[in-house]
Amino acid sequence: MRSPRRFGAFEQLEDRSLPSSFGVAWADPGHMTLSFVPDGTATPTGPSSLFASLTAAGTTTAWEREILRAFQTWAVNANINIGLVADGGQALGTVGAVQGDARFGDIRIAAAPISADEAAAASPFSWTGTTFAGDVTFSNAVPYRIGNVASAYDIFSVALHEAGHTLGLDHSTAPGSATNATYAYHAQLTASDIAALRALYGARLPDEFDLLGPNDTRATASAMVKDATVGAYVADGDLTTLGDVDGYKFKAGALTTITLQAKGLSLLQARVSVYDSTGKLVASAAAQDSFNNDITLNLALANGATYFIKVESATSDVFGIGSYRLTADPNNKAAKPLRTPPVLDAHTNDTLA
Ligand SMILES: [Zn+2]
């Protein structure tokens, strides 16, 4: 039997001139981002080989999903949203914003040489830190698989442990904790893990609409507010539990575009359904995965009539929870009558007559 191996400690990635510590929450945990660094991206111990290193575990989509699922498993327990963003390949630790740097995620996932007895390492948030904060480096020298496979590390279990560090949690000695210092397979968090997370971030709270009262039905649907600058109805909401249903109403245009944006905001897989004033379903669409989780519906509706939008989870796993921005644009340009193309030369003056 393989002897348990120690997980990585944050020192591997930490800028030693700016020591950070655990126990500090991210500045804006509701708007965090994550990116997978392209192979060849510079790290302190050599170029990243994330994609090459994890290819034995399965397809890119499969192992990326396991890492996202690990972060999301923490996030759903607090007011934390982690949106997937592109990574520009700048060196880890590049000078920039600790959170909100547009070139890459707050959390960057890489693989590179780390200490021989470690599977991965992660850096917590630090006010005085660098863009290293949040970054996770998997070892490029140990075997990874998806699931509890002998003589290999389970990607989800390792990512779950490192995500705890990224969110500011130190090692725990509580039985079964995902942040135990020694490797073990974990299917989920323990109650002590969730308590430790909530001690830093609090519990996940309903969005501003749900705080005013349930808006699950047409009778209680929240009126969307029209944004004067864009001329569209906008609502920033959150599916806070798998059972949460958010209802909205708005006045339609003849052609209305309804968009639920989740990409870059959270890992939510939502379903959007549109009903007319009699409760008849007009249209419905769901995100298929957390990589492409925006939804767009272009609908021909009764101009000036009130319609209802229902937002609910499209999946019963952790990806059924997260924040989103819902937009209903009744001014779809396609709704305007087509202009007759200007006639430059109708050939009515081609002759002298
Ligand atoms: Zn650790």
Side-chain angles (χ1 to χ4, degrees), residues 317-348:
D317 59 21
V318 289
F319 297 116
I321 290 171
S323 65
Y324 61 85
R325 167 164 287 193
L326 183 69
T327 305
D329 184 357
N331 311 302
N332 190 312
K333 288 184 174 57
K336 290 176 182 161
L338 289 173
R339 275 196 308 140
T340 309
V343 177
L344 296 177
D345 184 344
H347 298 280
T348 53

Side-chain angles (χ1 to χ4, degrees), residues 41 83 108 180 186 189 230 232 277 349:
T41 297
R108 303 179 73 192
N180 284 171
H186 295 286
L189 297 174
V230 295
S277 59
N349 58 350

Side-chain angles (χ1 to χ4, degrees), residues 6-10 22 120-122 161-162 165 169-171 178-181:
R6 214 159 60 74
F7 273 95
F10 69 89
F22 293 112
H161 177 101
E162 301 304 335
H165 287 329
L169 303 183
D170 201 349
H171 284 155
T179 56
N180 284 171

Side-chain angles (χ1 to χ4, degrees), residues 37 48 60 67 86 89 108 114 136 162 164 185 266 268 272 282 287 294 320:
V37 310
S48 177
T60 300
I67 293 170
R108 303 179 73 192
I114 60 173
V136 173
E162 301 304 335
Y185 173 77
S266 78
L268 171 68
V272 173
V282 174
D294 287 347

Side-chain angles (χ1 to χ4, degrees), residues 21-29 32 80 99 124-127 166-169 197 199-202:
S21 57
F22 293 112
V24 180
W26 280 75
D28 188 3
M32 295 180 66
I80 299 172
Q99 183 173 7
F125 174 79
S126 166
W127 285 104
T166 282
L167 292 169
L169 303 183
L197 181 77
L200 270 185
Y201 295 94

Side-chain angles (χ1 to χ4, degrees), residues 40-293:
T41 297
T43 86
T45 56
S48 177
S49 60
L50 179 72
F51 290 81
S53 295
L54 296 188
T55 190
T59 63
T60 300
T61 300
W63 62 254
E64 284 187 345
R65 187 177 188 281
E66 288 300 284
I67 293 170
L68 296 179
R69 190 166 67 84
F71 278 87
Q72 183 73 351
T73 296
W74 288 100
V76 297
N77 291 292
N79 278 325
I80 299 172
N81 293 291
I82 299 172
L84 180 62
V85 295
D87 194 293
Q90 290 81 7
L92 290 197
T94 295
V95 174
V98 178
Q99 183 173 7
D101 198 306
R103 296 170 295 175
F104 39 69
D106 305 329
I107 300 159
R108 303 179 73 192
I109 310 294
I114 60 173
S115 298
D117 63 343
E118 295 176 351
S123 305
F125 174 79
S126 166
W127 285 104
T128 55
T130 68
T131 63
F132 279 128
D135 294 355
V136 173
T137 302
F138 285 79
S139 169
N140 67 353
V142 301
Y144 282 103
R145 293 292 182 273
I146 293 173
N148 195 5
V149 176
S151 301
Y153 288 100
D154 170 42
I155 292 175
F156 174 81
S157 301
V158 172
L160 193 67
H161 177 101
E162 301 304 335
H165 287 329
T166 282
L167 292 169
L169 303 183
D170 201 349
H171 284 155
S172 164
T173 54
S177 168
T179 56
N180 284 171
T182 48
Y183 172 80
Y185 173 77
H186 295 286
Q188 59 199 6
L189 297 174
T190 64
S192 74
D193 289 331
I194 295 169
L197 181 77
R198 288 180 172 168
L200 270 185
Y201 295 94
R204 192 175 190 96
L205 297 173
D207 61 44
E208 57 177 317
F209 303 104
D210 280 315
L211 282 174
L212 295 173
N215 58 358
D216 306 12
T217 65
R218 275 191 296 133
T220 59
S222 307
M224 295 178 78
V225 176
K226 202 167 192 176
D227 183 310
T229 50
V230 295
Y233 297 90
V234 179
D236 290 313
D238 185 82
L239 290 180
T240 308
T241 64
L242 289 175
D244 189 9
V245 175
D246 293 340
Y248 301 95
K249 58 185 175 184
F250 71 100
K251 274 201 173 24
L255 269 183
T256 297
T257 298
I258 293 168
T259 309
L260 182 137
Q261 184 201 347
K263 191 167 176 65
L265 297 179
S266 78
L267 298 170
L268 171 68
Q269 275 178 254
R271 170 174 289 280
V272 173
S273 303
V274 181
Y275 298 85
D276 69 15
S277 59
T278 69
K280 180 168 165 283
L281 180 67
V282 174
S284 186
Q288 293 305 304
D289 58 45
S290 285
F291 298 94
N292 301 288
N293 53 352

